[in-house]
């Protein structure tokens, strides 16, 4: 069935170091992927997205890598800061071009930045 | 603050009661979504509106759940005869066309 999962539920990183959060998906028809950050008591916040015709996309301090061969997605955060502490979700959508509006989210990884 | 407003932020109710949540999307966002999130899990899609039309509904949306967006602006999500399993955070999101999806801060429901 369709599922999006994460390899690790928790990750602790020293402030200033880089972090990598991984995500596996099972739907080979997925063509759009998004990373969200969710702080305690708040709704998910968009970080970066990538379409299936790309394998890498960079933002400010963040990079998303997509490996369609193994159905794997990763989020790299450079020079982590205390404000990066949050739960990170990957989400996928299949067939957005055909009107499919549903996002399927993974379970989430809790990232803790150690001062 | 993303601009998507949800009320109430917290609701505690007894099993069997009805509850209603309201979402005010970002102005002129024609697409509005409801998701449900339980503790430790990612959000799960419930339903989607384009303007006032409800175009997609999840199987999670049982007949006790109803969502409306009568004028294509704000939306309401009503849960009738609440059950303890309905306890969750109900998230609303909106976007304009194919743009970025903005989530509100959610309405947390606790059913006793």
């Amino acid at each position: 069935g369709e599922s999006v999962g994460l390899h690790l539920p928790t990750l602790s990183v020293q402030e200033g170091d880089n972090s990598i959060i991984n995500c596996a998906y099972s739907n080979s028809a997925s063509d759009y992927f998004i990373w969200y950050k969710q702080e305690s008591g708040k709704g998910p916040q968009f970080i970066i997205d990538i379409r299936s015709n790309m394998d890498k996309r960079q933002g400010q301090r963040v990079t998303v890598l997509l490996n369609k061969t193994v159905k794997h997605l990763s989020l790299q955060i450079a020079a982590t800061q205390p404000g990066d502490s949050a739960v990170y979700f990957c989400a996928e959508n299949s067939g957005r071009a055909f009107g499919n509006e549903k996002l399927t989210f993974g379970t989430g990884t809790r990232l803790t930045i150690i001062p | 603050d993303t601009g998507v407003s949800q009320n109430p932020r917290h609701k505690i109710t007894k099993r069997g009661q009805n509850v209603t949540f309201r979402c005010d999307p970002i102005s002129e966002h024609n697409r509005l979504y409801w998701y449900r999130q339980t503790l430790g899990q990612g959000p799960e899609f419930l339903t989607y509106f384009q303007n006032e039309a409800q175009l997609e509904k999840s199987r999670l949306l049982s007949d006790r759940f109803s969502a409306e967006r009568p004028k294509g602006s704000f939306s309401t999500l009503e849960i009738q005869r609440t059950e303890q399993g309905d306890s969750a955070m109900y998230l609303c999101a909106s976007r304009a066309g194919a743009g970025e999806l903005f989530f509100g801060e959610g309405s947390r429901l606790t059913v006793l």
Side-chain angles (χ1 to χ4, degrees):
Chain A
E2 187 179 298
S3 68
V4 179
L6 297 179
H7 294 312
L8 294 172
T10 61
L11 179 64
S12 295
V13 174
Q14 205 74 35
E15 182 180 352
D17 287 353
N18 300 334
S19 67
I20 299 176
I21 301 171
N22 296 303
C23 178
Y25 64 95
S26 61
N27 185 358
S28 56
S30 297
D31 58 5
Y32 179 61
F33 304 87
I34 314 169
W35 280 100
Y36 284 93
K37 173 185 180 183
Q38 188 172 28
E39 296 175 277
S40 181
K42 296 187 176 181
Q45 177 186 359
F46 173 93
I47 301 174
I48 192 168
D49 60 359
I50 188 168
R51 299 197 179 277
S52 58
N53 61 352
M54 303 172 68
D55 53 23
K56 180 179 180 178
R57 190 159 188 233
Q58 289 184 292
Q60 187 175 10
R61 289 200 304 117
V62 294
T63 300
V64 55
L65 299 177
L66 175 62
N67 185 331
K68 295 181 288 295
T69 303
V70 295
K71 300 194 190 72
H72 183 268
L73 192 69
S74 68
L75 175 70
Q76 300 177 1
I77 305 174
T80 52
Q81 304 168 357
D84 295 330
S85 293
V87 177
Y88 290 81
F89 294 98
C90 62
E92 62 88 13
N93 175 269
S94 57
R96 175 171 279 198
F98 304 102
N100 178 9
E101 294 288 333
K102 172 186 171 184
L103 282 179
T104 300
F105 283 78
T107 304
T109 292
R110 179 174 297 280
L111 176 65
T112 301
I113 307 303
I114 304 167
Chain B
D1 182 6
T2 63
V4 178
S5 177
Q6 292 190 244
N7 290 288
R9 292 292 313 280
H10 303 276
K11 178 73 177 177
I12 300 173
T13 191
K14 292 182 179 179
R15 188 175 53 189
Q17 298 295 304
N18 299 341
V19 296
T20 299
F21 299 114
R22 176 179 169 124
C23 172
D24 288 88
I26 295 172
S27 180
E28 299 185 1
H29 276 195
N30 62 334
R31 303 187 183 200
L32 186 147
Y33 308 75
W34 285 99
Y35 281 78
R36 181 176 72 184
Q37 185 176 25
T38 53
L39 200 61
Q41 301 296 315
E44 297 172 292
F45 173 82
L46 291 179
T47 190
Y48 152 65
F49 290 85
Q50 184 165 324
N51 299 312
E52 66 275 8
Q54 188 174 19
L55 297 184
E56 202 169 339
K57 290 170 63 173
S58 164
R59 286 170 294 177
L60 293 174
L61 216 65
S62 75
D63 56 6
R64 295 186 299 105
F65 288 69
S66 62
E68 295 183 342
R69 195 182 183 197
K71 298 181 181 178
S73 57
F74 73 91
S75 174
T76 58
L77 176 68
E78 182 183 14
I79 308 173
Q80 296 182 326
R81 305 180 303 281
T82 52
E83 301 173 356
Q84 289 185 324
D86 297 332
S87 295
M89 176 78 83
Y90 290 86
L91 292 163
C92 178
S94 71
R95 68 188 183 110
E100 178 184 332
L101 189 64
F102 291 89
F103 280 87
E105 298 198 336
S107 293
R108 180 169 294 284
L109 173 65
T110 301
V111 182
L112 302 177

